[in-house]
Amino acid sequence: MKRALVIEDNPDNMELMRQLLEGEGYEILQAETGWKGVELATTAQPDFILLDIQLPDIMGTKVLKKIREHNECQSIPVIAVTSFAMSGDRERLLEAGCNSYIEKPIIPELFVNQLEKVLGESR
Amino acid sequence: MQSTAYFSRLTMNRQPGRTDSHGQPRLPCWVRFFLGLLLLGGLSFLLPSPVLLAQDKARIVRVGIFQNKPIIYQDKKGRVRGIYADLLHDLAKRRSWELKYVAGTWNQGLERLRKGEIDVMTSIAYSQERDRVFDFSHNNVLNMWGQAYNAKGSTVKSILELNGKKIAILKGGTNGINFKALCKKFEIDCLFEEVDSYSRVLQLTNSKKVALGIVNNFYGYENEDKYSVDRNPIIFNPFKLLYAVPEGMQQDLLSILDEHLLAMKLDRHSLYHQSLSRMLLEKTEASLPRWLVWSLLATCGLALAFFVVLLWVRRLRREIMARKQLEGYLLERTRELQESEERFHGLSESAFEGIIIHDKGHILEVNHSAAGLFGYERAELIGQQARILLTPESWEIAAQMIAAGSEDPYELDAIRKGGEVFIIELHVKQISFQGRPVWVIGMRDISEQKKAIEQLEQRTQELALTEEQYSTLFASAHVGVVLLDESGHFESANEQFQQFIGYNFDELRSMTPLDITHPDDVPKTREILSHDGLTEKRVTLLTKRYIHKDGTVRWGDVQSIQQTLSVSGRLLDFAIIVDVTEGKLAKEALQKANKKLQESERRLKESQHVAKLGRWELDLRSNNLEWSDEIFQIFEIDKNEFAATYEAFLNAIHPEDREKVEAAYTQSLYDRKPYEITHRLLMKDARVKYVQEFCHTEYADDGTALHSMGAVQDITAQMLVENQLKAANVKLKEMDRLKSMFIASMSHELRTPLNSIIGFSGLMLRRSEDLNELQTSNLNRIYRAGLHLLSLISDVIDISKIEAGRIDVFKEKFSLQELVEEAVDTVRPALDKKGLALQIEAATWPEMNTDKKRLSQCLLNFLSNAVKYSDEGQITLSLDEQGGFVEISVKDTGVGIADEDLAHLFKAFERLDTHLTIKEGGTGLGLYLTKKIAMELLQGEVSVESVLGEGSAFYLRIPMELPEKPKNHQREKQ
């Protein structure tokens, strides 16, 4: 069973993500802050990471950078989940090291399709 | 005096076209009269001219008359009299006419003549106006002129004093008309009281209801005593008195009248001349110069006396024949003579100072005047030797003169009863009768005249002296010298003055300085000419205007000298006039120019005032600072309390700005450059004003600063506006920032709750096996509403950003195929749900370099619309690449759009009212946003084709390579 790390400060979003991913058969690790996310990413070795960009402690891009500093974490697919829906946001995030990008709000049927597509590509 | 000048000046304005064409010698009226008079005594009276003897058939002539004594009038008994009456009576008698006098006022007469109710009007003057309705006789009966009268004690002496005064005139009378014209000419504004008769004119004058009354001279002289009015110096406009008949009528009458008049005038002994002399003798002496009157009366008296003596001598002869005792008879008859003498006494007493008749030195008769002259009673002298009345020397002279047969007047020394010697002038006529000479002597005391003549001579001598003294002045150019006689007339005037004024001396002789003075300068000239308060010598300087003969204005610097000569006591009144016309004219021009300059300065000041622009000047050598009024106003300093000082200036400056201003000025002097500074002023009441200052300093050649000039402009109002503008700008920027923040938070904060709504409802629907049908349906509504709200939010945000020009374009390279597939994937669920087929027609898939997200947005809009508005059939997406542009079309087989709706299709919130509208959710912003994105961000265009009921086709045409648009700044990559 694949393990997903969800770094998300909003409990509603976290719960939605949990139900959605567990419903699809994933094991889920939850981090409510950026730093906890970095810690879990390095210690728990998840199969992929869903990263919110607006976090209370550190920016999602910095979280990504900290994770990528660890060699063992360099290949873990990181998917940005953000409501930064402006043109260029996506590119900026990809450049920062994200593997993919999913816009909020999450539309369950699209999300699952997108997720499978991203994971398939990164494999 | 002045009026004399008016007279001479205004005579030029006589009626046009009225000249004596019959070649009669143009002697003045009075001369003719005088000549006629000389021939009166003892000559036959009536020598009728043959022309006047022609008989006319019986004819009634209606004659208009009015009360104009002595020219034409009705006496108390109703008899018509006057010179016109005399003439007409004579003519009527010759022509066997019946004269019918129609009496009335002057104006009634004119009116009757105009209507033809009378045949001829008397005592009428020519005027152009009257010439339109009347015909006039060629010959004049009289010359007359206008004479003004005033009430006794009135001070009006000149026409110039008449402004605003009331003047009585005869309505429609020539004198009145002339006087009105005269006033107008002098720009004098009088009120005219127009009355119907001359008597009314004088009544009004007498009762002081008017300042002046205007009548003709004849009427005036005749009636001045009756109305107790004073003759005023103002006389004017002589004119001819004629006959007039209605125009075009009575032409034969007119020619008879003319002929008669001419004959009468040519014949010195005619009734005309008699009538004229009678009329004038009665009451006209004052109208003629005194000397002339005197001579006339003297001559007249002499002639009459001569005539009387002739008669008397005839009687005497009869007595001699009877008594053969001449001397005794003479003495006896003297008493009888006294009776007949009565007739001429009236005349001789007033006319002659004395008449003595003697024979061989025995006084036969003497009149009271002569007796009085010598200091005797009349009775004392009769029978006395004439010798006692003369000095022995004079007696000798008289004897010689008599012996020589001289009849010219001569002078002798006479002795009064008391022994006083005086001078008489004698006219001696000898009448020889039967070899015996009888002497008639007319005499007058000329001592006074002699004295006057001596004085005159003395004065002439003085004048010769003074003239000698001033001969250099007289001779020198540009200086006019005039001497006035005691009556104020020009006694002499040098060549320069004559040239200056344009009149020759003959003309000047009858003038006074006032006559050639500009009306405006008359009062001050009059003042100078006045001898009031004159002691020994008075020198007055003035600059005044003269009127040259040609009517132009001449300026003269006048030095008027009035000096009483100590030797003779004679008053010397002369003036030196320097022609300063050119200088004056130049000065006037200069003054005009100055005035203009002042005007423009005033305007400048005004505009400075309006512009609140103050001006200052600082003389750095004297440290003298000058402020214009505006500076005082700007600085709110009372001009009267504070002087313009640098300290006052510094005090007015806002304390925080003082240093800056001082530094600017110092720096400007150091750099020798003008400066400009804006600073604040702090008013007493703590108000702050803003001023802008400009300053420029002038330097001497050696670099020394000479003086600074500056302008201060109150720009408080501008600054306030500017500050408001700045504040508004700041506020606007803040609002813009807030708006951006709002939009950003909209896009983030609204999505977060939507995330839960859409997410959880979507999640539940994925596991709908746990739910019943109704729960699934309700959940679906929530889910779809969430999606709708999401798209609504996205569209609103996008539109607001595009409209604010704040949307960023992100240009990137991508494959169109990829984009299309993503879009199709997005709508796939909806397609599948409706069972719609999707066909993609693309020959090639071009690589794009444009904003992928925005293009995707457009394509998704087209596709979702196609799905939304189609219930069955297929959707065709086709690509066409041409000339750097790619055209993407989305066709459906849906409801289609009516032609009239096509125009509204791309407008905001326009949704077509179809059955699908309600069923299918939509923001109404989709196509509007698509068009905006296509045109403003992707620099392309959208279009639509549609047939209602058959389907629609939407086209998007954009450049494959988005051109760089500097205006749309691209986000820098971080």
Side-chain angles (χ1 to χ4, degrees), chain A residues 24-67:
Chain A
E24 295 300 314
Y26 294 107
E27 189 187 339
I28 186 165
L29 297 168
Q30 297 179 31
E32 290 80 29
T33 67
W35 287 121
K36 193 178 176 190
V38 173
E39 188 191 331
L40 279 175
T42 52
T43 54
Q45 290 287 324
D47 292 302
F48 64 96
I49 300 169
L50 291 171
L51 175 64
D52 184 15
I53 300 301
Q54 277 192 306
L55 292 166
D57 51 352
I58 52 170
M59 286 295 286
T61 43
K62 195 174 179 183
V63 175
L64 179 66
K65 201 178 163 193
K66 290 287 169 196
I67 291 170

Side-chain angles (χ1 to χ4, degrees), chain B residues 313-314 316-322 324-326 359-360 431-438:
Chain B
V313 166
R314 247 180 234 164
L316 198 67
R317 199 177 84 178
R318 284 203 294 272
E319 291 299 316
I320 290 164
M321 295 291 277
K324 312 216 187 267
Q325 279 275 335
L326 180 65
D359 178 30
K360 282 183 179 172
I431 301 152
S432 185
F433 177 68
Q434 289 185 339
R436 287 191 58 170
V438 178

Side-chain angles (χ1 to χ4, degrees), chain B residues 773-812:
Chain B
E773 206 175 321
L774 185 62
Q775 284 170 328
T776 308
S777 165
N778 286 351
L779 206 55
N780 208 32
R781 286 176 200 277
I782 294 168
Y783 178 68
R784 285 220 310 272
L787 289 178
H788 186 203
L789 187 56
L790 177 64
S791 66
L792 207 56
I793 288 164
S794 303
D795 286 356
V796 166
I797 289 167
D798 284 349
I799 288 166
S800 72
K801 279 173 160 183
I802 293 168
E803 286 181 345
R806 288 178 53 83
I807 199 160
D808 294 324
V809 177
F810 187 81
K811 196 173 158 187
E812 63 181 318

Side-chain angles (χ1 to χ4, degrees), chain A residues 8 10-13 15-24 52 54 83-92 95 103-110 112 117, chain B residues 743-744 747-749 751-752 754-756 758-763 766-767 783 787 790 797 801 808-810 812 822 825-826 829 851-854 971 973-974:
Chain A
E8 169 67 66
N10 185 306
D12 285 351
N13 281 349
E15 181 57 19
L16 178 64
M17 219 61 100
R18 189 188 66 77
Q19 289 190 29
L20 208 54
L21 290 170
E22 282 178 357
E24 295 300 314
D52 184 15
Q54 277 192 306
S83 52
F84 279 154
M86 308 293 181
S87 291
D89 286 350
R90 181 189 172 116
E91 287 67 32
R92 195 158 42 86
E95 194 149 302
E103 253 184 70
K104 278 185 188 172
I106 290 158
I107 299 164
E109 44 185 315
L110 291 182
V112 176
K117 201 176 171 186
Chain B
I743 289 166
S747 67
H748 182 70
E749 300 302 329
R751 278 161 203 260
T752 308
L754 264 181
N755 200 36
S756 297
I758 296 166
F760 285 107
S761 57
L763 184 68
R766 282 178 70 84
R767 299 170 194 157
Y783 178 68
L787 289 178
L790 177 64
I797 289 167
K801 279 173 160 183
D808 294 324
V809 177
F810 187 81
E812 63 181 318
E822 274 177 26
D825 282 349
T826 309
D851 192 321
K852 185 182 173 189
K853 188 173 181 228
R854 294 300 165 194
R971 181 176 288 177
K973 294 186 176 177
Q974 294 172 351

